[in-house]
Amino acid sequence: MSDFHEVRFPTDIARGARGGPERLTQIVALASGREVRNSRWAHSRRCYDAGLGVRSLDALAAVVGFFEERCGRLYGFRWHDRLDWKSCLPSQEPAATDQVIGTGDGTTAVFQLCKTYGAGPSAYRRTITKPCDGTVRIALDGVEQAATSFACDMTTGRIDFTPGAIPPPGAMVSAGFCFDVPVRFDIDAIEVDLSAFEAGEIPRIPVIEIVPRGRHHA
């Protein structure tokens, strides 16, 4: 994306932030007392408050500098979500069999990284567009493939198999990886009362996930 900078928000500050996935559900109460619920968004969207991670004037200056480089809300950037940044559980190391990303048909060479939450018909499949360099591992039918058999676009999360390594018909394609969340600032002004900050007041610096193209909200 031309409006996206492939840089990560200061990790030490992001670790102290608060946030997580958000959904938009419309609830209509009927005269009978029953409810009709409808999800307005097809996908969740993550929101964070970076201000909670700012603990010193130096950290605040770093955020201001980062904010100025991004021109406020104009340019997106990478965010490290300490709760959810791997294809596996946070305490584990990514394995090539963590996430099923597709099934081979003998001709398709490009597959999109994704992460599935839950199991069964209600499982949620999330598109991963910002994998971390050097962390992506791929397997076919549970057998890990050599790194030379595929290429991963770190700006889109797309896996491109080389001509001689295209998954055969029926082969399960799986992946393991670490990833960042594509976000932007949700403000165009950072307001800080330095006297209040030194007294312990936390500045509000909201950050919101950028919905990938082709993954629009309903």
Side-chain angles (χ1 to χ4, degrees):
M1 292 182 283
S2 60
D3 58 352
F4 192 91
H5 292 169
E6 293 291 339
V7 294
R8 181 186 280 177
F9 184 86
T11 305
D12 56 337
I13 299 175
R15 284 176 179 166
R18 178 175 62 193
E22 174 188 44
R23 286 186 175 272
L24 181 61
T25 305
Q26 182 182 50
I27 301 177
V28 178
L30 304 179
S32 64
R34 292 182 57 200
E35 291 181 344
V36 175
R37 295 184 295 276
N38 178 55
S39 179
R40 297 295 300 275
W41 293 351
H43 300 275
S44 59
R45 189 175 198 178
R46 280 147 180 80
C47 302
Y48 309 94
D49 187 348
L52 294 170
V54 177
R55 294 289 184 265
S56 68
L57 285 175
D58 286 351
L60 181 57
V63 171
V64 169
F66 193 89
F67 176 85
E68 292 284 30
E69 285 187 288
R70 310 287 87 75
C71 298
R73 294 185 294 178
L74 184 59
Y75 293 100
F77 52 92
R78 287 173 173 257
W79 176 273
H80 175 71
D81 186 338
R82 193 179 179 188
L83 173 65
D84 190 0
W85 60 285
K86 295 180 179 180
S87 56
C88 54
L89 292 175
S91 62
Q92 299 176 349
E93 291 299 319
T97 55
D98 284 344
Q99 301 291 327
V100 176
I101 63 173
T103 303
D105 59 10
T107 58
T108 300
V110 179
F111 293 80
Q112 177 67 51
L113 288 181
C114 59
K115 182 174 180 179
T116 300
Y117 298 78
S122 297
Y124 173 61
R125 186 180 176 96
R126 176 188 179 189
T127 299
I128 302 299
T129 61
K130 300 297 176 184
C132 297
D133 193 19
T135 69
V136 179
R137 303 168 66 179
I138 298 294
L140 296 181
D141 285 335
V143 179
E144 185 163 3
Q145 304 298 292
T148 55
S149 66
F150 67 92
C152 180
D153 188 331
M154 297 300 160
T155 68
T156 64
R158 290 176 182 155
I159 301 296
D160 192 350
F161 285 92
T162 58
I166 294 176
M172 182 181 70
V173 184
S174 60
F177 46 84
C178 295
F179 63 95
D180 291 324
V181 182
V183 301
R184 62 167 173 80
F185 287 108
D186 201 25
I187 51 172
D188 270 327
I190 293 181
E191 297 181 2
V192 180
D193 181 335
L194 286 180
S195 60
F197 177 76
E198 292 174 347
E201 183 176 302
I202 298 173
R204 182 175 177 273
I205 308 174
V207 173
I208 190 168
E209 182 178 5
I210 299 171
V211 178
R213 291 186 176 92
R215 202 202 77 176
H216 303 295
H217 290 319

